[in-house]
Amino acid sequence: MRRHYQAKTQLAINSCLVLGDNKPDIEQIIRATSSPVITKVIVIDRKVIIAGQLDLVIEYAACAPCNTQPVHIATFKVPFAHFVDHCGARSGQDAKIRMEIEFQRFQLANRRTITIFVILKACVFHLEAAKCLTKTAVCPTEQITGGCNEPVPCPQPSVYDTSHMQPCSCISCDC
């Protein structure tokens, strides 16, 4: 049975979140949840670059007078970018990433600011072969044959037919 190499890394997000002006002050944090959202994956030689955001939802008890809404929710998006060293990664490949939260801590710094410390674990669990485009040239009829009905090479493909995508089998693809 062939085993695939899985490259892993961890990244830490340490940030201060400030409530918007439309939110009341915080008396106490009730619950906080976070989810990593990957928005972009770029594969280059020997590295997989991961970019995204950490979506946070903070439920808190407000410092509010009686007869007002005591529980509020604040949402935040904290961007991140990191890379994973991977010896099999080549430019143009597609990567499948698994990302999970390993640790998170939310603390009240003051009545308007929450400090967060989150450790994310990312794993590249699958790399797919690079995709190459089969180039189809579309040339005017007069360029196809010369005066003696000899084929004349088309100077430059002007249309790329993407319906014939095929995986590249070479190690260092120049696609």
Side-chain angles (χ1 to χ4, degrees):
M1 177 179 205
R2 184 177 172 199
R3 299 195 65 186
H4 295 282
Y5 173 72
Q6 292 185 350
K8 299 176 185 177
T9 191
Q10 292 179 319
L11 64 130
I13 298 174
N14 193 8
S15 187
C16 290
L17 311 173
V18 179
L19 285 179
D21 293 337
N22 61 337
K23 296 288 186 182
D25 289 351
I26 301 170
E27 184 176 309
Q28 178 183 353
I29 297 173
I30 298 170
R31 179 179 25 229
T33 59
S34 58
S35 330
V37 177
I38 298 171
T39 56
K40 185 180 278 191
V41 176
I42 300 169
V43 181
I44 60 174
D45 288 344
R46 304 182 67 82
K47 289 190 188 322
V48 178
I49 302 163
I50 305 164
Q53 64 194 28
L54 187 62
D55 288 349
L56 300 156
V57 178
I58 312 286
E59 184 179 356
Y60 68 94
C63 295
C66 294
N67 299 327
T68 60
Q69 182 180 349
V71 177
H72 287 264
I73 292 177
T75 60
F76 301 92
K77 295 181 184 302
V78 179
F80 65 83
H82 201 65
F83 67 90
V84 181
D85 286 321
H86 194 297
C87 64
R90 299 291 176 260
S91 292
Q93 288 182 314
D94 292 326
K96 301 242 188 286
I97 309 293
R98 183 180 308 119
M99 187 167 269
E100 60 188 50
I101 295 171
E102 187 168 43
F103 174 81
Q104 60 184 4
R105 183 179 65 216
F106 300 87
Q107 291 183 314
L108 194 57
N110 60 47
R111 295 197 179 269
R112 307 251 354 126
T113 307
I114 302 164
T115 60
I116 66 160
F117 181 71
V118 179
I119 298 175
L120 297 174
K121 185 167 39 174
C123 175
V124 177
F125 67 91
H126 184 72
L127 285 172
E128 294 178 356
K131 304 288 184 188
C132 294
L133 293 176
T134 302
K135 297 174 184 169
T136 305
V138 177
C139 297
T141 309
E142 60 272 8
Q143 287 185 352
I144 295 175
T145 58
C148 301
N149 288 336
E150 292 293 323
V152 175
C154 186
Q156 186 73 323
S158 57
V159 175
Y160 291 93
D161 182 5
T162 58
S163 65
H164 302 294
M165 296 283 283
Q166 59 189 18
C168 181
S169 59
C170 61
I171 297 297
S172 59
C173 181
D174 294 327
C175 303

